[in-house]
Amino acid sequence: MRDPFARTLMVLVGVATLIVYTGVALLGFAVIEWVAANPPNPLTIVLVFAIVALFGAYLGYRRGVVRLAASLNARELPRHRAPSVYRRFDRLCAEMSVTQPPLLLASLDSPNALSVGGPRRGAIVIDRRLLRLLSPDELEGILAHELAHMEQYDTFINTFAVTLTRLLAGIVYLLLLPILLVLLGIDRAASWIAGEPRQRGVGLADLFQYGIGIVLAGLLSVFTLLFLAHSRRQEYRADRRAADVTGKPDALARALSKIHRATESHRGLQSLLYTHDDRRRPHRLLSTHPPLEERIERLLGEDARRRRSLGPAAR
């Protein structure tokens, strides 16, 4: 049988643990009650929330180029190695509202291209294989597509959306923290009182955290569907802008088709940035990119309209 003194000491430690956790939780409840009784101006809340989210997104946005280049071991394409590519690239940057970004070469998971940053500070990364896979007109279409993403601040918008979601999830968790502390105190106290301080107790805190996870997952799933829908619209807009600035929507369509045929299945957060996303999805609502067939169909339709508007001289 366990020493009565040690047993009594464990019970006292358990009770003290419960008192401490409960006291901290009550302090948290008091703070929440005070804020609820003295709510700040709603406009102030929105402004503070927006400023914090914008600041966090801006930091991630500015650091994105450096982190991406380092993670991919990307190196800038020397101008003397690809003078024809740079002639077209220079012209695209001059016609679009973009300060010319560095053109980086890397070995991606598949022949593809991606861009990060905005019109004043960013970078375009292309897989080395694209230089052999695509014709000059097709590569120009891909570069124009990536510049269009930068011109339209797509990377910053996506970064802001992710930051905003994390901030909202953090606020929900913070509001529920006092309850979690009470349950955690009960678990720890029960373990000590039972004489098994290394055990997890009755597991109330784990159950509560699991429930919070389910609720947050449900809320995030709604955001995810909206975010993915917006991502697909970004791709359509970038395609249309690239077609307008190059005047060769058929070349971009051919480039997308070639990349599709050459692409092996890939995964990871970088796929949000790829020109073409070839991941097999159970439903198009869960894809970051529109169906390739629809993109090509729109581009070819745009090419047909352009030819009709130019008349016989364009044929």
Side-chain angles (χ1 to χ4, degrees):
M1 180 178 293
R2 191 183 297 273
D3 181 12
F5 176 76
R7 187 75 182 85
T8 303
L9 183 61
M10 285 188 175
V11 171
L12 291 176
V13 171
V15 172
T17 300
L18 180 59
I19 292 173
V20 171
Y21 274 88
T22 303
V24 175
L26 290 175
L27 180 61
F29 281 124
V31 171
I32 294 175
E33 184 180 5
W34 182 85
V35 173
N38 303 276
N41 188 296
L43 181 59
T44 302
I45 297 177
V46 172
L47 285 177
V48 171
F49 192 77
I51 289 172
V52 173
L54 284 170
F55 181 71
Y58 180 73
L59 288 179
Y61 169 75
R62 289 295 296 269
R63 295 170 56 196
V65 177
V66 176
R67 289 202 308 266
L68 182 68
S71 67
L72 297 176
N73 194 26
R75 296 291 183 269
E76 189 164 0
L77 174 64
R79 185 173 286 268
H80 66 84
R81 278 188 52 193
S84 62
V85 173
Y86 272 101
R87 279 195 296 271
R88 293 170 181 261
F89 193 49
D90 292 343
R91 183 186 64 79
L92 290 173
C93 293
E95 292 189 15
M96 303 175 77
S97 301
V98 178
T99 300
Q100 183 164 327
L103 188 56
L104 307 178
L105 287 181
S107 296
L108 303 178
D109 295 337
S110 59
N112 226 312
L114 56 90
S115 61
V116 290
R120 298 295 172 261
R121 183 189 295 268
I124 292 178
V125 183
I126 61 174
D127 185 82
R128 292 180 172 86
R129 289 164 287 184
L130 289 186
L131 297 177
R132 301 189 302 271
L133 179 66
L134 303 181
S135 71
D137 283 349
E138 292 164 355
L139 183 58
E140 181 183 25
I142 293 298
L143 293 176
H145 174 96
E146 298 304 334
L147 287 171
H149 279 307
M150 299 173 69
E151 186 181 48
Q152 296 163 6
Y153 290 94
D154 286 344
T155 300
F156 178 77
I157 292 172
N158 293 343
T159 304
F160 176 74
V162 172
T163 303
L164 189 64
T165 303
R166 291 175 176 174
L167 187 58
L168 285 171
I171 290 175
V172 171
Y173 192 84
L174 190 62
L175 290 175
L176 296 175
L177 183 59
I179 300 176
L180 179 61
L181 286 173
V182 171
L183 298 178
L184 192 59
I186 293 173
D187 283 346
R188 296 284 177 84
S191 298
W192 279 97
I193 293 173
E196 299 290 342
R198 295 186 179 181
Q199 299 298 321
R200 299 182 65 86
V202 293
L204 293 177
D206 290 341
L207 288 174
F208 186 70
Q209 285 183 301
Y210 182 72
I212 293 176
I214 292 177
V215 172
L216 290 179
L219 295 175
L220 291 177
S221 65
V222 175
F223 163 79
T224 300
L225 291 177
L226 294 174
F227 176 76
L228 293 176
H230 178 70
S231 178
R232 292 190 294 272
R233 288 195 295 271
Q234 288 177 335
E235 293 303 316
Y236 283 133
R237 288 200 303 268
D239 284 347
R240 186 167 59 251
R241 177 61 170 148
D244 290 341
V245 75
T246 62
K248 302 167 187 173
D250 57 327
L252 178 55
R254 291 195 306 270
L256 293 174
S257 181
K258 285 184 178 180
I259 291 174
H260 171 70
R261 291 196 299 269
T263 296
E264 297 176 354
S265 180
H266 59 271
R267 298 182 183 276
L269 290 177
Q270 289 174 4
S271 63
L272 288 170
L273 306 172
Y274 285 145
T275 295
H276 167 64
D277 179 15
D278 191 43
R279 287 180 296 172
R280 301 297 188 265
R281 292 292 192 180
H283 198 283
R284 62 176 293 176
L285 291 178
L286 302 179
S287 176
T288 58
H289 288 57
L292 179 67
E293 296 78 9
E294 288 188 15
R295 294 176 67 185
I296 291 177
E297 183 179 350
R298 289 190 181 202
L299 288 167
L300 294 180
E302 179 64 28
D303 183 62
R305 287 191 294 272
R306 185 185 66 84
R307 291 178 180 275
R308 285 195 300 269
S309 66
L310 292 177
R315 296 184 176 90

